[in-house]
Amino acid sequence: MSGDSSYGSFNWRGFLRRWQEEWMPRPEGEADGGPRSVVLGRDGAGEAAIVAAEERLGRRLPPSYREFLAVSDGWFVDQTAGVYRLGGVAEIDWFGDPYDMTPVYEGFLDDDPSREAVLLAGMWRRALRLETDSDASYALLDPGDRDEDGEWALYVYQGWSGEFPDRYPSFRAYMEAMYRHFHATRAERSDFVNATTREQDGRVERARSLALRGRYEEAVPLLEEAAGFGRPHSAVLLNQIRHFLAPGHSRGYGSLVADARYLPEVLPVEAVGPAQEQWRAGGDEHWLGMMAARGAGREAAEAVLGEVRDGTYRYAPAGAWGRAVGEAREAARWGACDAAWRVLRDALPRWEQPGPLLIVPLGLLADPVLGPLVTAERGREVLATPRAKHTGPAPQAVPALDPPGLAWLAEPARFPRSFGGGYRCVWVEGVEPARLPGLIGEDGAVLSGPVRPFDAARAARRPHEREDEGVELWEDRAVVAAGRAEGAWAFAFDGYGLHHMSQLFRSPVTDASAAGRAVVVWCEPGSASAGGRPDAFHLSVAEGGEERYAFTLWGSEVERSGAIPDALDPDRLFRPGDSGNEGHRRALDALHGELGLSLPRFALTEGRLPTFTTRSWTRAPREGEGFAYLAFGRVRR
């Protein structure tokens, strides 16, 4: 290769020389004569030859490709992407769309196509073809897809793949990507060692140290570049950071499952996707086979998958961090998610690495109670916290997710799972949540393991499905989530059931009050349609097995009993002329102020809580009373 030392802002000569000096055949290409037997480039084309080619083509070539040709008149790419050699000035020519790809891609355009789709559809007839040797693949420079520097986008189309072409913003970007690919396909070879591999491995080690010091934003670009070169451990470290940045999206951790130091943290996280049936291809056997291929024992993988699926997996690290995890789980399992997170946040600096390749407490994400606490904001908080004996400034604490009181229930549209269809709740003062099934549960009711309240309610069997158990069609047995609220209150909440308050309604408040003061609230928005149900709101308070006071609002009518405190008087809370849910909000504020009632929003909408089935919230119809029961099913045709 010949030419000046540098063209423009990019040193093509140094770049191509390094590529040539580092060149080594892929393992399947060992028979071609040895690591230095292939000359990748040729002498550069002179300016006159480049100008002649431009006159032949009728276009001035884009800057980075022109500069490349002046240093090397062609290149042996040798890529698995299907393009092997790029031609020089005498060999390049217009593609001309010999296979009529234009109408095919025009057929993909909708009524309002994107700029990218329009450019791609027109590319086939405009493009300059660069490759001279390939596996039914084409390297195409598109003069119609230009940037502000005059660079043409380069498309690589693999004719056998059935996929859309890969796009690179310029010829230089393509060559840099191919250089990284050259490295990545040889990265596992122990004899592939050179200045670039040493430089990239240094980046990986620096990124690892930065990440543990809480400086993950600086670590990410270092790891991204090293991962492009296929450097060992770069992708594993990068995926840990990305997993905490987007906790709901699973990541792969390669052969870490084969190392006993990492398996207890990595294998449960790998099992989350299959356990939630997010990944159905091949079912469990496919996943178990993959884990076995990566070094995890089948028996261990099956056991972990079962625990993650049925919610019995427990993240249990050792040391001070492990003790904090246990304390946090006890708080979160009853709904105190913000308190649980404070425990974890305070203990995070004391987290210890089981080995150098783990830079975050990964197993936390698989715990059915604690994993949901790691929102994207909290994931960033974890990453920004110095840990594993590393030092640095502590990040600003993420604000609490649970607002005080109950007013958030009046704003259901703000939350992913809303209670727009109504909700009902029982509070009992001075008892533990574990006692609630004995107070208001159906016969034999026990608390379940931690589960999404929404899932538990939707999976509940309906009365017509339980007739063989003696359940009557008129019964309204609620599946409630149990937990602790602020103060000394335990709660049992149903926000996802398909029930409606009726004239047969029977408040469970007296049963609940056998152990302490109890409160029942049932709110059900009405239907706006003609003849629809009116808004309904019920409050009852009892103590020592006796109801103290209650009211039930049906539209504009109110039924009341007992000595209702002024602060809870329905005439003060629900006023004529109210619009929307003003009365509802007033009532919730009053319940918080007068009785100290609250509910943990995050646990009920995003977290996991134990559940149980209550006794019926309706009484048996009396003589002359009726009820209607409708059940809908899906029929296959």
Side-chain angles (χ1 to χ4, degrees):
M1 293 178 287
S2 64
D4 298 334
S5 61
S6 160
Y7 281 81
S9 60
F10 185 67
N11 186 349
W12 278 103
R13 174 172 297 283
F15 172 69
L16 298 176
R17 181 188 295 118
R18 173 177 282 200
W19 195 340
Q20 177 69 74
E21 290 173 351
E22 295 172 348
W23 193 84
M24 178 180 284
R26 285 176 278 116
E28 63 270 24
E30 294 288 4
D32 64 11
R36 299 292 180 266
S37 64
V38 173
V39 177
L40 304 182
R42 300 186 293 211
D43 288 342
E47 179 66 16
I50 296 174
V51 170
E54 291 174 332
E55 291 176 350
R56 173 172 60 85
L57 297 169
R59 296 294 296 264
R60 181 176 174 84
L61 296 172
S64 65
Y65 183 52
R66 206 175 191 280
E67 293 162 2
F68 161 78
L69 290 172
V71 175
S72 181
D73 192 24
W75 194 257
F76 179 60
V77 185
D78 182 34
Q79 297 303 311
T80 56
V83 173
Y84 305 138
R85 182 171 288 281
L86 302 175
V89 292
E91 297 153 315
I92 58 176
D93 206 350
W94 298 112
F95 183 53
D97 194 12
Y99 309 111
D100 283 332
M101 302 299 292
T102 301
V104 173
Y105 279 76
E106 287 178 341
F108 296 139
L109 301 178
D110 55 24
D111 293 337
D112 186 23
S114 66
R115 176 179 179 275
E116 292 77 12
V118 172
L119 287 172
L120 178 57
M123 180 270 297
W124 307 96
R125 291 174 181 165
R126 296 189 302 260
L128 184 66
R129 177 175 175 176
L130 304 188
E131 89 291 336
T132 58
D133 185 15
S134 71
D135 178 16
S137 299
Y138 308 94
L140 306 172
L141 272 174
D142 180 13
D145 189 351
R146 299 164 56 104
D147 66 14
E148 62 275 8
D149 296 320
E151 294 288 356
W152 304 0
L154 189 147
Y155 292 84
V156 174
Y157 177 62
Q158 299 165 336
W160 37 265
S161 72
E163 302 290 338
F164 278 56
D166 293 323
R167 180 188 181 276
Y168 303 86
S170 67
F171 178 78
R172 171 183 165 181
Y174 165 73
M175 288 292 281
E176 289 178 312
M178 292 304 99
Y179 176 62
R180 291 191 296 269
H181 186 67
F182 153 73
H183 267 265
T185 56
R186 294 153 175 82
E188 298 300 322
R189 294 185 57 156
S190 60
D191 56 346
F192 187 61
V193 179
N194 50 60
T196 301
T197 61
R198 288 189 289 269
E199 176 187 352
Q200 294 300 326
D201 289 344
R203 288 174 176 266
V204 172
E205 183 55 32
R206 173 165 169 72
R208 191 180 73 84
S209 176
L210 286 169
L212 290 170
R213 288 153 59 192
R215 295 164 60 181
Y216 73 95
E217 291 172 307
E218 298 173 60
V220 166
L222 297 175
L223 291 172
E224 286 176 336
E225 181 172 342
F229 284 85
R231 297 317 301 158
H233 316 315
S234 56
V236 161
L237 297 175
L238 182 61
N239 278 350
Q240 292 175 58
I241 295 175
R242 287 174 171 169
H243 208 155
F244 271 78
L245 290 174
H249 299 272
S250 60
R251 305 286 176 179
Y253 295 101
S255 60
L256 284 192
V257 293
D259 191 318
R261 295 174 296 174
Y262 307 119
L263 185 142
E265 299 237 11
V266 173
L267 190 58
V269 172
E270 294 267 20
V272 168
Q276 295 177 345
E277 297 184 338
Q278 295 173 349
W279 180 36
R280 298 174 179 269
D284 290 356
E285 284 301 317
H286 182 53
W287 182 79
L288 291 169
M290 284 188 60
M291 293 300 103
R294 287 159 52 183
R298 181 183 178 91
E299 186 174 338
E302 281 186 309
V304 167
L305 179 60
E307 291 175 354
V308 173
R309 177 169 283 148
D310 63 22
T312 59
Y313 168 70
R314 296 291 180 270
Y315 176 51
W321 168 245
R323 291 190 292 275
V325 166
E327 181 183 345
R329 183 184 296 108
E330 180 60 25
R333 71 187 289 251
W334 299 116
C337 295
D338 284 330
W341 185 253
R342 287 192 293 271
V343 171
L344 293 174
R345 183 178 63 209
D346 292 345
L348 187 59
R350 301 194 295 277
W351 173 74
E352 297 180 1
Q353 294 175 276
L357 297 183
L358 206 68
I359 57 175
V360 288
L362 196 61
L364 183 67
L365 299 178
D367 189 287
V369 174
L370 298 177
L373 306 189
V374 188
T375 62
E377 294 78 13
R378 286 171 169 172
R380 289 193 291 272
E381 187 176 18
V382 169
L383 294 171
T385 301
R387 52 202 179 274
K389 299 180 181 178
H390 287 67
T391 60
Q396 184 174 358
V398 172
L401 297 179
D402 282 337
L406 298 170
W408 64 271
L409 286 164
E411 303 173 349
R414 291 179 55 195
F415 309 107
R417 294 187 178 89
S418 73
F419 307 122
Y423 60 86
R424 51 188 169 178
C425 187
V426 181
W427 288 266
V428 183
E429 191 175 25
V431 304
E432 289 299 309
R435 287 196 60 189
L436 294 176
L439 294 171
I440 60 173
E442 66 178 8
D443 289 343
V446 294
L447 291 175
S448 73
V451 65
R452 271 187 278 253
F454 176 86
D455 294 341
R458 286 295 180 259
R461 298 174 68 201
R462 307 305 171 195
H464 69 281
E465 298 170 320
R466 301 186 63 190
E467 287 184 277
D468 59 338
E469 302 175 36
V471 176
E472 301 286 350
L473 293 180
W474 52 262
E475 291 192 80
D476 174 11
R477 303 191 185 196
V479 175
V480 292
R484 294 191 189 100
E486 295 174 4
W489 296 97
F491 69 83
F493 181 88
D494 171 26
Y496 302 109
L498 301 176
H499 311 287
H500 296 300
M501 192 187 301
S502 73
Q503 298 297 333
L504 303 182
F505 167 57
R506 171 189 175 276
S507 172
V509 72
T510 54
D511 293 340
S513 70
R517 186 170 54 156
V519 180
V520 168
V521 169
W522 188 337
C523 174
E524 185 176 352
S527 171
S529 60
R533 298 187 313 277
D535 289 337
F537 191 94
H538 169 84
L539 167 68
S540 50
V541 178
E543 192 167 1
E546 294 185 10
E547 184 180 285
R548 300 301 186 191
Y549 56 87
F551 73 79
T552 303
L553 173 80
W554 298 91
S556 59
E557 299 181 4
V558 180
E559 300 174 3
R560 63 179 74 211
S561 62
I564 301 173
D566 288 345
L568 298 175
D569 188 328
D571 291 338
R572 296 183 60 178
L573 301 178
F574 300 93
R575 304 167 186 170
D578 277 350
S579 61
N581 59 1
E582 292 175 1
H584 180 198
R585 177 183 287 278
R586 243 183 251 116
L588 295 174
D589 285 337
L591 288 167
H592 176 55
E594 182 74 9
L595 300 175
L597 300 182
S598 66
L599 284 170
R601 181 179 74 186
F602 187 85
L604 291 169
T605 57
E606 299 297 329
R608 308 293 188 276
L609 289 168
T611 63
F612 69 94
T613 303
T614 70
R615 295 193 280 275
S616 177
W617 288 56
T618 53
R619 59 174 174 76
R622 302 187 182 110
E623 185 176 353
E625 294 181 329
F627 72 96
Y629 181 86
L630 300 177
F632 299 91
R634 184 175 296 174
V635 178
R636 291 184 179 273
R637 294 193 178 184

